[in-house]
């Protein structure tokens, strides 16, 4: 008999956190819980079973110390770090590098882990059904490219509205951009 979903997913996420700490050293891990409708919950289960373990992005800076941020269609009034879904077979650093390039046109080199979020997803109508996914934000240095949004680079359904360099974090940016231990924006 297979281990329950909660145990399998928690072990997979904790193993990824352990591996990242072995490679990059200590970093904060924030725990968050999201209650999902049954259909969305089962979608999360399907993603895990397909080998997807969460999402990754990066806090990219250039040689002048500027920070790379995006605006996307899900929250067009707020600047955020470029990020997106992990794909089977990718490492989390590879996911972050791919997502930064797709969303901004900038190649980057991962230098460390900014923070991780261990996300527990719970089926709203059956709280005993739960699982875990991981969201990792890395620190990274810009390594080439030209900042800009190109719809041809984006995955289907992705809607990045703008990508820009900032000398200072704008007031309308999500809190995690400056505070590594801030709760996730859900």
């Amino acid at each position: 008999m297979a281990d329950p979903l909660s145990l399998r997913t928690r072990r997979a996420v904790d193993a990824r956190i352990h591996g990242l700490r072995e490679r990059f050293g200590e970093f904060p891990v924030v725990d968050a819980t999201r209650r999902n409708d049954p259909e969305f919950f089962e979608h999360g289960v399907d993603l895990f079973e397909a080998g997807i373990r969460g999402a990754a992005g990066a806090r990219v800076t250039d040689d002048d110390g500027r920070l790379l941020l995006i605006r996307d269609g899900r929250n067009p009034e707020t600047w955020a770090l470029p990020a997106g879904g992990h794909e089977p077979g990718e490492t989390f650093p590879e996911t972050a590098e791919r997502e930064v390039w797709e969303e901004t046109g900038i190649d980057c080199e991962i230098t460390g882990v900014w923070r991780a979020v261990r996300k527990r997803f719970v089926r709203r109508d059956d709280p005993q059904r739960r699982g875990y996914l991981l969201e990792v934000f890395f620190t990274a240095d810009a390594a080439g490219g030209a900042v800009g949004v190109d719809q041809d680079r984006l995955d289907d359904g992705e809607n990045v509205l703008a990508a820009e360099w900032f000398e200072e974090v704008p007031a309308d940016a999500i809190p995690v951009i400056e505070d590594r231990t801030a709760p996730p924006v859900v």
Side-chain angles (χ1 to χ4, degrees):
M1 182 172 172
D3 287 332
L5 176 70
S6 60
L7 187 57
R8 287 185 296 124
T9 56
R10 178 66 187 246
R11 284 180 181 157
V13 165
D14 287 348
R16 294 286 174 117
I17 291 169
H18 178 75
L20 289 168
R21 284 187 165 148
E22 283 188 336
R23 181 172 173 190
F24 296 105
E26 285 299 312
F27 53 85
V29 177
V30 179
D31 289 299
T33 299
R34 179 175 240 173
R35 299 190 190 306
N36 299 140
D37 292 327
E39 185 176 308
F40 194 68
F41 177 88
E42 295 305 329
H43 176 68
V45 173
D46 291 344
L47 292 175
F48 179 82
E49 297 299 346
I52 295 170
R53 299 294 180 252
R59 191 175 194 284
V60 181
T61 54
D62 67 5
D63 289 340
D64 296 325
R66 298 179 302 170
L67 178 63
L68 182 62
L69 300 176
I70 65 163
R71 282 193 194 269
D72 72 33
R74 293 171 298 183
N75 194 356
E77 303 301 317
T78 305
W79 289 100
L81 298 171
H86 173 257
E87 293 183 2
E90 279 184 327
T91 65
F92 275 86
E94 289 169 342
T95 298
E97 290 171 342
R98 176 182 51 76
E99 287 292 337
V100 168
W101 181 82
E102 288 176 358
E103 294 181 354
T104 69
I106 297 297
D107 290 314
C108 68
E109 293 178 7
I110 301 298
T111 58
V113 177
W114 175 250
R115 75 182 242 151
V117 180
R118 184 180 10 236
K119 287 188 172 182
R120 182 172 69 159
F121 58 105
V122 178
R123 188 169 163 148
R124 189 180 310 276
D125 65 346
D126 183 3
Q128 296 306 308
R129 289 269 296 151
R130 59 189 179 276
Y132 294 85
L133 292 170
L134 182 62
E135 184 176 271
V136 182
F137 285 96
F138 294 90
T139 55
D141 294 331
V147 71
V149 176
D150 179 349
Q151 296 303 319
D152 292 335
R153 272 195 320 259
L154 299 173
D155 290 334
D156 289 340
E158 237 181 335
N159 187 16
V160 176
L161 306 173
E164 294 181 27
W165 290 108
F166 288 88
E167 290 183 17
E168 294 182 24
V169 175
D172 57 349
I174 62 171
V176 70
I177 291 171
E178 290 189 290
D179 183 355
R180 296 176 352 148
T181 60
V185 176
V186 183

